[in-house]
Amino acid sequence: MTEYWRRNGLLGCVIAGLSLVAYTNAVIAEIKHQPLDLGQRPSFALMDQAQVELGQLLFYDPILSGNRNISCASCHHPRFGTGDGVSLALGEGANGLGPKRQVDPENLPEQRIPRNAPGLWNLGARGMDVMFHDGRLEADPAYGSGIRTPLEGDMLSGFDSALSAQAMFPVLSADEMAGHYGENEVSRAVRLGQLSHPGGAWDLVAGRVADIPEYRQRFDRVLGAGAPIRFTDIGNMLAAFIRFEWRADDSPFDRAQMEGEPLPPVAARGQGLFYGAAGCSQCHSGWLQTDNGFHAIAMPQLGPGKAARFEAHARDEGRLRVTGTPDDAYRFRTPSLRNVALTAPYGHSGAYATLEAVVRHHLDPLDALMAYDRSQVVLPALSGAVDWAALDDPAEVQRIASANDLAPVALSDGEIADLVAFLEALTDSTAAAGRLGVPDTVPSGLPVEQ
């Protein structure tokens, strides 16, 4: 049957009296017997359970934030696919979780977080060594710490991986976790540039953790009795938890490739487009659908942009701010697409609210940029926020457009629906449900966002 439809196609099958159902089943059977060449399957280090459980508690504990009010989970919560469900978050100066987060009128945020909170799926896979939308932190053996970061020569050694290190950088951001200047000892250290230095922000946070008896006991089990608790140790525990909790490699797509279990017909058609005419796999390659590279795709820019405090603009030039290379302007890291159906909104700025919308953008970035529908953004209310400065500047819109790498691809509405169905087939339901889940309490006794 499979050979017959391959030689004669749908018309030949119809002429031969074979039903459309039989034809569809034959197509799926063919896909089943021809797995894609995706390279080496991702591998994950075996994790010590004591480290994983310690990392879980630290991940959900607000003790790591300057004002003891924000945890890692505030912006990376399993309820929102390890993101936060909004285009651009409010960090310090706000309360609540996800789209329900609201400003604290007594302590207003200084600005929105400049970029969308990325999902954490498979960041612990070997080879996932490039972190953040602009790749400003990545494994690099040329550095003494083995990791290139914005701290450059001040970066501490002792982090087990790039994942360990990136988990600890949000605590240095005044807008994310450190707090406003003068509010606490951590935020004061950050504002004075005392970060990784002895007695600086990282040491202050580590000291807080060490002072809590349950954390002291748990670190004794993994480090040895009485061993000092360093900031790098906290990062390593967080990475152990992320690596274990959000490993997502058992989706319908995986089972189709490994076991020959066929995808539903609509997803199978979408897979054919993804790895064929739509050209998605040119960047979203390999098992995790990412080349870990940087590409300019004319994504609409909203929010405060990525700028130093002294800069008066709302641009986000992406990779350029890391490398200084003009050709890197407006390039951002290719995200892995695992569990992508759970991680809306999409894009470095969270510009698109649905999978269909962001797929359509990729198919014709320039037209999509020029016709962008601003009503789809999910932004917690913030009085005085300058959300549209970039898109209201014709010169900036032109710069974003001029950097675009993607050529238009013409697909029908039905084919776009097929592509979306394939992306949904990348969902690992076991990982999405969580392995350890959200703890009821944490050792600090501070509230846990459920």
Side-chain angles (χ1 to χ4, degrees), residues 10-201:
L10 176 59
L11 180 59
C13 289
V14 172
I15 292 173
L18 301 174
S19 70
L20 181 59
V21 172
Y23 173 76
T24 301
N25 289 338
V27 173
I28 293 171
E30 178 71 358
I31 292 172
K32 173 180 176 179
H33 289 98
Q34 291 188 359
L36 299 164
D37 181 8
L38 299 171
Q40 185 175 0
R41 187 164 168 76
S43 61
F44 297 78
L46 294 176
M47 304 311 304
D48 179 88
Q49 198 63 19
Q51 293 185 15
V52 171
E53 292 173 2
L54 175 50
Q56 177 208 23
L57 296 174
L58 290 165
F59 187 88
Y60 289 98
D61 198 332
I63 193 67
L64 301 184
S65 64
N67 289 325
R68 298 174 172 84
N69 60 340
I70 296 172
S71 72
C72 303
S74 298
C75 288
H76 299 284
H77 202 281
R79 279 176 55 187
F80 305 103
T82 69
D84 58 8
V86 299
S87 300
L88 300 175
L90 296 177
E92 184 53 57
N95 303 294
L97 192 62
K100 294 184 178 180
R101 193 165 179 82
Q102 298 179 334
V103 301
D104 177 357
E106 309 259 328
N107 181 28
L108 295 175
E110 293 181 2
Q111 64 176 17
R112 300 189 193 280
I113 306 302
R115 291 173 178 161
N116 178 258
L120 304 181
W121 308 108
N122 291 323
L123 290 186
R126 289 190 175 96
M128 293 288 280
D129 294 329
V130 180
M131 303 291 160
F132 300 116
H133 289 290
D134 56 11
R136 64 187 181 275
L137 188 152
E138 60 184 319
D140 188 337
Y143 288 79
S145 64
I147 303 168
R148 184 185 59 75
T149 80
L151 291 182
E152 297 291 342
D154 292 328
M155 182 63 182
L156 297 177
S157 60
F159 289 108
D160 288 343
S161 63
L163 175 59
S164 303
Q166 74 84 28
M168 295 280 60
F169 270 79
V171 305
L172 301 180
S173 167
D175 295 316
E176 294 183 58
M177 295 181 72
H180 303 146
Y181 179 63
E183 289 184 329
N184 61 75
E185 72 279 12
V186 174
S187 67
R188 286 193 291 272
V190 168
R191 192 60 66 94
L192 293 172
Q194 299 168 354
L195 308 177
S196 60
H197 310 78

Side-chain angles (χ1 to χ4, degrees), residues 358-379:
V358 76
V359 166
R360 288 183 181 277
H361 175 93
H362 280 72
L363 295 175
D364 196 344
L366 298 186
D367 277 2
L369 173 64
M370 299 306 173
Y372 178 66
D373 176 9
R374 302 184 186 190
S375 68
Q376 66 187 298
V377 299
V378 184
L379 290 173

Side-chain angles (χ1 to χ4, degrees), residues 4 28 37 40 116 118 148 158 178 207 231 250 252 285 288 321 404 427 439:
Y4 189 91
I28 293 171
D37 181 8
Q40 185 175 0
N116 178 258
R148 184 185 59 75
F231 196 76
D250 186 26
S285 56
L288 301 181
R321 293 187 68 86
N404 173 58
T427 300

Side-chain angles (χ1 to χ4, degrees), residues 413-445:
D413 289 347
E415 288 171 322
I416 291 171
D418 293 344
L419 267 179
V420 170
F422 171 67
L423 296 175
E424 291 170 343
L426 298 175
T427 300
D428 180 337
S429 57
T430 298
R435 294 178 171 88
L436 295 183
V438 183
D440 294 328
T441 61
V442 289
S444 69

